[in-house]
């Protein structure tokens, strides 16, 4: 049960990180968005990556991920 929950959370964190990476790779977004918005999105990306790593660590603790 825990593995399924963590798996779903990991999938969501990965999707969020991928979405933010794509947004920040978009030159049009970077050129048009205010600096504060760009910084906020960078912060959100860092948070998504940290959450992803935290979930992976928890899965490793439980012996559920290599």
């Amino acid at each position: 049960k825990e593995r399924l929950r963590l798996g779903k959370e990991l999938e969501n964190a990965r999707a969020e990180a991928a979405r933010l990476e794509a947004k920040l790779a978009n030159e049009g977004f970077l050129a048009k968005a205010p600096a504060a918005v760009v910084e906020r999105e960078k912060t959100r990306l860092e948070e998504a990556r940290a959450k992803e790593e935290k979930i992976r660590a928890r899965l490793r603790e439980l012996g559920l991920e290599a």
Side-chain angles (χ1 to χ4, degrees):
K1 209 172 188 182
E2 180 72 356
R3 180 179 182 204
L4 290 175
R5 184 185 72 77
L6 289 171
K8 190 171 230 175
E9 278 190 40
L10 182 59
E11 185 179 313
N12 289 339
R14 284 180 179 158
E16 177 72 3
R19 185 185 69 75
L20 290 165
E21 286 170 353
K23 191 177 204 178
L24 291 168
N26 181 338
E27 291 298 324
F29 170 74
L30 295 176
K32 294 178 184 176
V37 172
V38 173
E39 284 305 310
R40 184 180 68 223
E41 294 301 288
K42 287 180 181 179
T43 300
R44 289 176 63 199
L45 175 58
E46 289 173 14
E47 290 169 354
R49 287 179 177 160
K51 182 176 182 178
E52 191 177 335
E53 184 51 41
K54 183 179 174 184
I55 295 167
R56 278 199 201 108
R58 180 69 179 134
L59 285 167
R60 282 191 298 271
E61 276 179 19
L62 297 172
L64 299 173
E65 184 180 72

